[in-house]
Every structure is written in structure tokens, then in C-alpha cells.
Amino acid sequence: MRNLRALLPSEQRQRQLTYLMEVGLIGMLFIGIDRGNGGIVINTVVALLVTQLPAVLERDYGIPMDTRLTLWITSAVFLHAFGTVGLPGSTATFYSQVWWWDHVTHALSASVVAAVGYTTVRAVHEHADGIHIPRRFAAVFILLFVLAFGVLWEVLEFAIALAAAALGVEAVLTQYGLQDTMLDLVFNSIGGLLVALWGGAYLADASGALRDLLDRRDG
């Protein structure tokens, strides 16, 4: 685990990378507006809102969000939004042109979803006297949580595609067929598995703060 942390950039560099990605998202938003592309606009607006969540959680709820967690979350939404923009002068996107782009974004986004599930489960486990969640069961729960969220996301993509076709507008999210959906679920599972195996090393402070918040509200 120490070797893994040694591979990460310094905290200052992590903050700089996070800031650059946020600036990049603002740039993508203007690109979407200039092109009149609703998909780019909506995806970048949502991404920008998500990047503000770590600051809100830390400021309003006292949940520590160190530079690693902030960079983790920002990277997930940045890569997704960037995948909808594509290369200059082309209508093709990275999602449609780069075969592995969708897999990377799904695994990364699923790991963020799994982190939320892990933090919540550990906080409830430590907060509630009558609830005991063994670590092995917690790992299984995280995987099931990620899979359930992934299925819900695929249903949402399908519904958006149908609605866009019925209204004659461009879909905000795109599905590329049954094989793509199955691969999405596989890479969702990979992201969830990584958090189930190593999430405790990076999420202990966040789950502890959430536990303290629950204790104060019940106190």
C-alpha cells in the first residue's frame, strides 16, 4: 500500500491536476454551447456540479475529503465529459472512436459509487450498536450495490435514447448495443472490486467522520 501511495503525485500536484480538470470542464461547457450540443452542455454541467461535492461535504458536514479523494472524483467526471466532446473539427467522440474509453470511465465511475457505498456501510456499522456488518459481507454488499447502480444507469441510458428518438432530439447518453452494456457491467464490477479490496486504506477518515455525524444527530 505504501508503494501504491508512492506512485501518486504530491498533494500540491494533485490539487493542481484537480484545478486544471475543473478549468477544462468549463472550457468544454463553452465548446458545447458554441456547437449547440446539448449532450456536451448537460454532461459538463453535471460534472462541474459533482466536482463541488467534496468542498460541500467538507465545509457543511465535516467529512474530510483529502486531495486523493477529490482528484479521484474529479477524474471520473472529467473523463466522462471529455469523452462526449471528441476531437476538434469532428463530430465523432472519444466514446465512439476509442474502444477502451467507455471501459475506463465506467470502471472509474463505478469505483466512486463503490466508495460511497463503502463509506456509508462502514459508518452505519460503527454507529449502530445493533448492526454488525462483517468485512466479507461488506465487500459483497459493495459489489451488489455497484451492480445495481450499473443496471439502473443502463436502464436510464436506454430510456433517454428512446425519449430522444421519440422527440427527434440528440440523446444526452448513448447506448451501443447489448454487448456494450454487458461490458459496462463487467468494468463496473472491476471498479467496485478494487474499492472492496483496498477502499479501507483511503476511506477510513471519511467513514469515521460520517459515523461521528450520525452520532451527533442521534445524541
Side-chain angles (χ1 to χ4, degrees), residues 15-31 44 47-48 51-52 74 77-78 81-82 85:
R15 292 191 185 94
Q16 290 172 344
L17 289 171
T18 300
Y19 177 74
L20 286 174
M21 283 190 284
E22 290 175 348
V23 172
L25 285 169
I26 295 173
M28 284 183 252
L29 174 60
F30 282 107
I31 290 173
T44 51
L48 282 167
T51 61
Q52 303 309 305
T74 305
V77 295
F78 174 84
F82 191 61
V85 176

Side-chain angles (χ1 to χ4, degrees), residues 15-208:
R15 292 191 185 94
Q16 290 172 344
L17 289 171
T18 300
Y19 177 74
L20 286 174
M21 283 190 284
E22 290 175 348
V23 172
L25 285 169
I26 295 173
M28 284 183 252
L29 174 60
F30 282 107
I31 290 173
I33 294 173
D34 180 65
R35 295 181 183 177
N37 189 312
I40 295 176
V41 171
I42 292 175
N43 279 289
T44 51
V45 166
V46 172
L48 282 167
L49 291 175
V50 172
T51 61
Q52 303 309 305
L53 283 178
V56 172
L57 291 173
E58 191 161 30
R59 182 188 67 236
D60 297 346
Y61 299 98
I63 298 176
M65 302 293 292
D66 64 20
T67 54
R68 294 171 301 176
L69 295 179
T70 304
L71 180 61
W72 183 3
I73 294 169
T74 305
S75 298
V77 295
F78 174 84
L79 290 176
H80 168 67
F82 191 61
T84 67
V85 176
L87 297 173
S90 173
T91 57
T93 67
F94 286 104
Y95 275 117
S96 62
Q97 295 297 308
V98 182
W99 66 268
W100 49 262
W101 194 274
D102 191 40
H103 305 331
V104 171
T105 55
H106 266 275
L108 193 54
S109 298
S111 70
V112 173
V113 173
V116 173
Y118 177 90
T119 302
T120 304
V121 167
R122 295 310 303 171
V124 171
H125 166 77
E126 295 173 3
H127 164 71
D129 294 333
I131 298 178
H132 174 68
I133 304 174
R135 287 190 177 273
R136 289 185 179 179
F137 177 79
V140 173
F141 172 82
I142 290 168
L143 288 176
L144 292 176
F145 180 72
V146 169
L147 285 173
F149 188 88
V151 170
L152 180 63
W153 182 264
E154 296 300 327
V155 171
L156 179 64
E157 284 187 346
F158 183 70
I160 289 176
L162 288 179
L167 296 173
V169 298
E170 184 179 2
V172 176
L173 299 172
T174 305
Q175 273 196 328
Y176 297 100
L178 180 60
Q179 181 179 357
D180 177 71
T181 298
M182 293 299 100
L183 284 173
D184 287 347
L185 295 177
V186 169
F187 281 91
N188 287 347
S189 301
I190 292 173
L193 181 61
L194 292 175
V195 173
L197 292 175
W198 292 295
Y202 298 97
L203 300 169
D205 291 343
S207 61

